[in-house]
Amino acid sequence: MPNSPEQVRINHHQIDLWITVPGDITDADLLQRYDHLLTKEERQRQQRYLLDTHRHDALITRAFARTVVAKYTDTPPQDLKFSQGPKGKPELNHPKTAVQFNISHTHNCIVCAVILVQDIGIDIEHTGRKIDIANLAKRNFSATENQQLFALPQIMQRQRFFDYWTVKESYIKAWGLGLAIPLTDFSFKINDTEQDYKNLFTIKKDISLSFAQHRVDEPHIWRSWIVYPTAEIDEKQEHRIALSLRAKIDNQKTDYQLRFFDTLPLLGYQEL
C-alpha cells in the first residue's frame, strides 16, 4: 500500500469514508502492534469473544478506529481517549476536537466515517446473508417503505431491502440512540439517480426523510447517502454502505463531498 502523509486534513463540507478488510491482516507482529494500542478495558472487551475470528476482528476494529481518528487529531493513536454514549456509540473525549466519527463492521469489512462538528452515522451490511426479507421489513420498516419495497419486481426487492436497512441504521446511529428510536417512526424515500465515483463506487444521494406524526425531528437538517462498492473494491459486490448526517441547521443546499480511503492500520493508506 502506498505511503501517505500521516495527517489528513478535512474541511466542513467533506465526509471521509475509510475501509479496511480484516481478512487481509494476518501478520502476528502487526496484530501484536494493534494490541499495544488498546486500553486495558478495550482489551478485556475484545478477549470476551469466544471465537478466534471474532477476537481477531474486534482487535482490528479498535486499532482501525484509533489509527483513523488519530490522522485528524495530531495525537498518537494509543493516546486517544474514547467513551461510549448511553446506547454504546463511541465518542472521542481526548483530545477535544471538532472531529466526529462513527464505525460499522460486517462480514470481512470495517468502515469508518469522519466529519467535522456534525453528527454522523454509518452502517455496512453483507447482502449475501440469508434473511427473511418480508418478515423483517414488515416488522421494522414504515408502512410507506413497505409499500414502496413490495411494489418493486421481486427480483429487485432484496437489494432495495438493504438500501432501507442500512440507511435506517445509519440514521439511528447518527443520533447515538440505537433502537431506542423505533425503526417504524421514520421513512426514507430513495430516488434511484446514481453518481459514479472513479468507477469504484456508485452513490445514491437523492434520499429524503419523513417522520411519523408523534416523532419530533427535522427533515431539513438530515442528509443521507447509499454507497455501492463496485467489483474492483468488493469482488462479489455483496456489501452495502449508508451514511446519515445530522446538521445543526438546514443543510439541503450544502454540497458535501465524499472521499474514500483504503487502509491497513499502521502500514499505510491511500485515497481511492
Side-chain angles (χ1 to χ4, degrees):
M1 180 167 289
N3 292 323
S4 303
E6 275 304 302
Q7 293 307 123
V8 178
R9 304 302 174 190
I10 187 172
N11 66 44
H12 284 270
H13 293 165
Q14 285 177 333
I15 304 170
D16 289 352
L17 196 158
W18 293 75
I19 300 171
T20 197
V21 178
D24 291 345
I25 304 171
T26 58
D27 181 79
D29 290 338
L30 182 59
L31 293 171
Q32 186 65 35
R33 291 172 64 192
Y34 292 166
D35 183 72
H36 291 324
L37 298 179
L38 273 56
T39 65
K40 179 180 178 181
E41 291 75 16
E42 287 174 332
R43 192 173 295 109
Q44 287 174 341
R45 287 196 297 270
Q46 181 251 343
Q47 288 298 316
R48 290 187 190 125
Y49 288 98
L50 298 178
L51 297 179
D52 289 343
T53 54
H54 293 170
R55 288 195 297 272
H56 174 269
D57 288 359
L59 172 62
I60 293 171
T61 298
R62 298 312 311 158
F64 173 61
R66 285 185 168 276
T67 54
V68 167
V69 174
K71 295 183 187 306
Y72 298 86
T73 61
D74 293 318
T75 303
Q78 65 270 23
D79 292 342
L80 298 174
K81 290 182 172 55
F82 297 98
S83 64
Q84 288 190 338
K87 298 297 180 179
K89 183 180 182 181
E91 300 171 351
L92 181 63
N93 284 349
H94 173 79
K96 295 299 182 182
T97 173
V99 172
Q100 302 292 318
F101 76 99
N102 196 227
I103 197 163
S104 182
H105 56 86
T106 189
H107 175 69
N108 206 32
C109 194
I110 312 170
V111 291
C112 180
V114 179
I115 195 171
L116 294 179
V117 179
Q118 304 174 89
D119 295 316
I120 192 81
I122 188 169
D123 187 56
I124 183 170
E125 298 289 339
H126 181 246
T127 65
R129 58 195 174 96
K130 294 182 178 179
I131 54 171
D132 183 343
I133 287 174
N135 185 44
L136 284 172
K138 289 173 182 175
R139 288 193 290 112
N140 295 287
F141 293 174
S142 70
T144 300
E145 290 167 337
N146 271 291
Q147 182 180 16
Q148 293 169 354
L149 172 63
F150 294 112
L152 293 172
Q154 189 169 6
I155 195 171
M156 299 174 62
Q157 290 176 11
R158 182 178 181 86
Q159 294 305 314
R160 181 49 50 90
F161 170 88
F162 281 103
D163 288 346
Y164 282 133
W165 189 269
T166 52
V167 76
K168 288 172 81 72
E169 286 282 335
S170 71
Y171 169 85
I172 63 175
K173 290 186 70 179
W175 267 109
L177 297 174
L179 291 174
I181 303 174
L183 294 176
T184 55
D185 278 8
F186 56 97
S187 300
F188 281 98
K189 182 178 180 181
I190 301 167
N191 187 308
D192 283 325
T193 303
E194 296 180 343
Q195 172 186 333
D196 176 71
Y197 182 90
K198 301 181 181 178
N199 295 319
L200 299 174
F201 301 94
T202 300
I203 303 170
K204 289 181 182 175
K205 61 180 182 178
D206 187 0
I207 300 170
S208 58
L209 180 59
S210 61
F211 302 100
Q213 189 172 4
H214 61 270
R215 175 150 184 80
V216 179
D217 205 339
E218 302 173 84
H220 59 274
I221 65 173
W222 285 93
R223 295 281 292 278
S224 295
W225 296 260
I226 300 173
V227 179
Y228 308 79
T230 67
E232 290 189 44
I233 297 294
D234 182 5
E235 183 179 354
K236 295 183 179 179
Q237 295 176 264
E238 288 187 339
H239 288 99
R240 178 86 81 263
I241 304 167
L243 297 160
S244 285
L245 178 158
R246 183 178 65 156
K248 310 302 180 184
I249 58 173
D250 187 331
N251 69 348
Q252 297 306 297
K253 295 183 179 179
T254 303
D255 183 20
Y256 293 103
Q257 301 297 313
L258 271 63
R259 299 189 298 181
F260 294 85
F261 297 85
D262 182 29
T263 184
L264 291 174
L266 297 181
L267 293 186
Y269 69 93
Q270 60 181 342
E271 183 174 352
L272 299 173

